[in-house]
Amino acid sequence: MAFHDLRTDYAGRGGPMFRLALRTGVLTVLTLGIYRFWMKTRMRRYYWSAIRPGGLPLEFTGRPTEMLTGFLTAVVFLAFYIGIVNLVLMFFSFSLFNGEAPAYAVSFIGLAPVIFFAQYRARRYILARTRWRGIRFGLEPGVKGYVWRATWWWLLALSTGGLLWPVKTFALEKYRTDRMWYGDAQFKQTGGLFSLMTAMKHVWLGAALIAAGTLAAGLSEEPVWFVGAAMGGVWAVLGLAYWRAQSFKRLLEGKRLGETGFRSHARGGRIVGIYLTGSMAISAIMSALLFGIGIAIGIALALIDPALLADGLEDLSSLGALPGWVFPIVGLVFYFTVFVLWGVLREVFITMPVARHLAETTEIVNPDALAGIRQRARDEFVEAEGFADALPLGDGI
């Protein structure tokens, strides 16, 4: 099959996404989280099918039962770690240091390799369950190498105050990409360790403004300098959106699949605009929702006890006469309504527009070379994304 000028279409729409996210979110709450694995599977299938290189959609073939089995396996391990290992650490911490802080520090350090393990296995599972043109992706076994590399690069990034964060990002992405396959063709990540450095410039500029404003306010004792620090905070947050677009663009254009390459026209300004407008839309809707919920609760309480309506806010002593079950139910309804709707709105106003922009600005260069690629064997996983779900880290769309 020959391709020419292979661009990527995006077929996702806000209405279907809103209904899917709302329905699966409500079911997840009603089932006390058990439906979460079915929710993630359905959401991924929607996103994958919406991304269509050359008009042909991606497919996600993962099953929720795989993720549930992996989750239960991971819970057994984490229960042992939290219950036994932490108990031993706490005993020695109190015995040697007369406090619990050392135990918490060692426990966190010991959990870091498990997090990196989860991240690598999550990507391997997702790729093994992703197809395009009927051909599967895959990721070679290599979790041990990834864990020690991730530990080393994270230590370097944190010890340098984040200055080596772009280097860490490139090094770990190269390790994963160089072990990634599409059918019987292997990916390669080209580029240098420092190729992402300038993509982080706006984050560093924002951090510099925060530091300068805080320092100036402390030395001069003039609170006005905190305005500069606040502006730096906003700049840094928007800089993260710019970093996301630029790092995606550079990493994608550095990938090679045999003689096939990739081109991205992702724009940092567009990603920043999506986050700004999306956040304002979510804030407006959530504020209106909270106001409406407050009025509904007031009316409901007044119907239960008419004295509340007559006394207004001047005398709330009659609230004590209400049944004890009223307040927990009101609190649960309020919490889960906000929790579910916030997740739904984030998918509609931020996640999906970002996915649309990144997909529609991606092109496959020299796609004719893909015609010779053949199918690869299916990768089987017992634990699926278990550790990623239980932590929950390492997964995502």
Side-chain angles (χ1 to χ4, degrees), residues 151-163:
T151 302
W152 166 251
W153 282 113
W154 269 86
L155 286 173
L156 281 180
L158 293 177
S159 63
T160 58
L163 290 178

Side-chain angles (χ1 to χ4, degrees), residues 67-229:
M67 299 169 67
L68 176 60
T69 302
F71 173 80
L72 296 176
T73 304
V75 165
V76 172
F77 171 82
L78 292 176
F80 170 80
Y81 182 85
I82 295 173
I84 304 300
V85 176
N86 281 2
L87 181 63
V88 173
L89 290 175
M90 195 67 69
F91 170 79
F92 283 106
S93 179
F94 274 102
S95 299
L96 300 176
F97 303 100
N98 196 29
E100 70 276 6
Y104 289 140
V106 174
S107 177
F108 176 78
I109 294 173
L111 190 61
V114 181
I115 296 174
F116 301 141
F117 175 91
Q119 291 175 336
Y120 192 86
R121 294 296 289 182
R123 176 174 285 203
R124 190 174 178 214
Y125 170 74
I126 292 174
L127 287 172
R129 298 298 184 263
T130 299
R131 298 187 304 188
W132 182 58
R133 299 168 52 226
I135 297 178
R136 281 184 290 272
F137 290 83
L139 184 65
E140 293 178 355
V143 68
K144 292 181 181 179
Y146 181 79
V147 167
W148 76 259
R149 283 176 174 82
T151 302
W152 166 251
W153 282 113
W154 269 86
L155 286 173
L156 281 180
L158 293 177
S159 63
T160 58
L163 290 178
L164 290 183
W165 191 276
V167 179
K168 170 194 74 74
T169 301
F170 179 87
L172 296 182
E173 181 63 21
K174 177 174 174 59
Y175 182 85
R176 292 186 296 251
T177 301
D178 289 349
R179 285 153 183 79
M180 196 168 81
W181 293 75
Y182 173 61
D184 57 2
Q186 188 173 12
F187 281 87
K188 290 294 181 184
Q189 182 71 54
T190 64
L193 274 177
F194 297 93
S195 58
L196 300 180
M197 292 296 286
T198 56
M200 187 68 81
K201 59 185 179 182
H202 290 291
V203 177
W204 289 332
L205 179 58
L209 288 175
I210 294 174
T214 304
L215 180 62
L219 295 177
S220 65
E221 298 184 357
E222 292 290 340
V224 69
W225 288 106
F226 284 117
V227 176

Side-chain angles (χ1 to χ4, degrees), residues 340-352:
V340 171
L341 189 59
W342 182 88
V344 171
L345 294 176
R346 191 177 190 281
E347 292 290 342
V348 173
F349 289 104
I350 296 180
T351 303
M352 194 178 72

